[in-house]
Amino acid sequence: ELHFISDTMPLFFFYVALVYCCINSWIIWWFWRALRGSGRVRVITCLVLLFIAACFPFGYLSSSALPWAMILLRIGAIWIGVFIYVFLMVLVADGVVIIRRLFRASSQNASQKHRQRPRYWACMAVVVLTVMLGAAGWINAAYPVVREFDVAVPTQQPELQGKTLTIAALSDLHLGRTLPAARLSRAMGLIAPHQPDAVFFLGDVLDDHILLDLDAMRDAIAQVQPPL
């Protein structure tokens, strides 16, 4: 099974990269159409979007800890978190435009003139919402909070009935070049007062091996001593 996963992993990453390129190409093409007739604004906007979309792949593949690579990774990480929402927004914007055209009661010439004007309202809405999503996502990642849930698990074993367990779950730490070990220390410090019986790391713990501070990670994990 491990051999099968190893053989198929390059193909999996190829499809992921293909989907990523297609979605970003659609977003750039949408801005190119929406800003038709805006001159340099159109070109600059699309070049900026192309740069942002390329930040994470180039920053990650560089395997460098230099400042330029770190900047690319941070910009790319934010874009990775919001580009799907941007794609959905441009689809909705196109849907609104199509509906408006279907119900527009005007002459063909007026309609043609309207289509040639840049759709600044749609572009500004997409840009503002994207910035808001990116900022909210970064703040949410930088300042995590503990959320508590009560889960009842039925059991037929008498010795387990009435027992309670406190389980802590962490995800999306992204340690490495993207975020330092201090993020793990902050997260473990948040759950330590709850004295969990077990701690689960649910995924996306490490982004890469570069700049991993193993001693700091070990000290962070030692803040919590779950018996299970």
Side-chain angles (χ1 to χ4, degrees), residues 12 16-18 23 48 106-107 117 126 149 151 181 190 195 217:
F12 169 77
V16 170
L18 181 62
I23 292 177
V48 169
S106 60
S107 64
R117 290 204 308 267
V126 171
F149 301 91
V151 180
L190 286 173
Q195 299 180 342
M217 292 171 59

Side-chain angles (χ1 to χ4, degrees), residues 90-168:
V90 300
L91 290 182
V92 171
D94 272 343
V96 171
V97 170
I98 292 173
I99 293 174
R100 289 183 62 185
R101 287 180 182 176
L102 289 176
F103 291 94
R104 188 182 305 279
S106 60
S107 64
Q108 183 177 0
N109 291 335
S111 179
Q112 181 67 22
K113 182 179 179 181
H114 176 81
R115 284 197 295 268
Q116 292 175 350
R117 290 204 308 267
R119 297 203 295 269
Y120 289 117
W121 63 270
C123 295
M124 287 302 299
V126 171
V127 170
V128 169
L129 288 174
T130 300
V131 172
M132 291 175 61
L133 283 171
W138 185 261
I139 292 173
N140 186 48
Y143 302 98
V145 296
V146 176
R147 301 192 184 279
E148 298 184 10
F149 301 91
D150 294 326
V151 180
V153 180
T155 177
Q156 300 298 324
Q157 302 181 35
E159 65 275 12
L160 295 180
Q161 292 181 1
K163 277 197 171 186
T164 60
L165 289 176
T166 300
I167 297 175

Side-chain angles (χ1 to χ4, degrees), residues 23 26-27 29-31 33 83-99 119 122 126:
I23 292 177
W26 182 276
I27 293 172
W29 181 59
W30 182 87
F31 273 92
R33 289 184 296 119
F83 83 102
I84 290 294
Y85 299 105
V86 178
F87 177 62
L88 295 175
M89 282 189 283
V90 300
L91 290 182
V92 171
D94 272 343
V96 171
V97 170
I98 292 173
I99 293 174
R119 297 203 295 269
V126 171

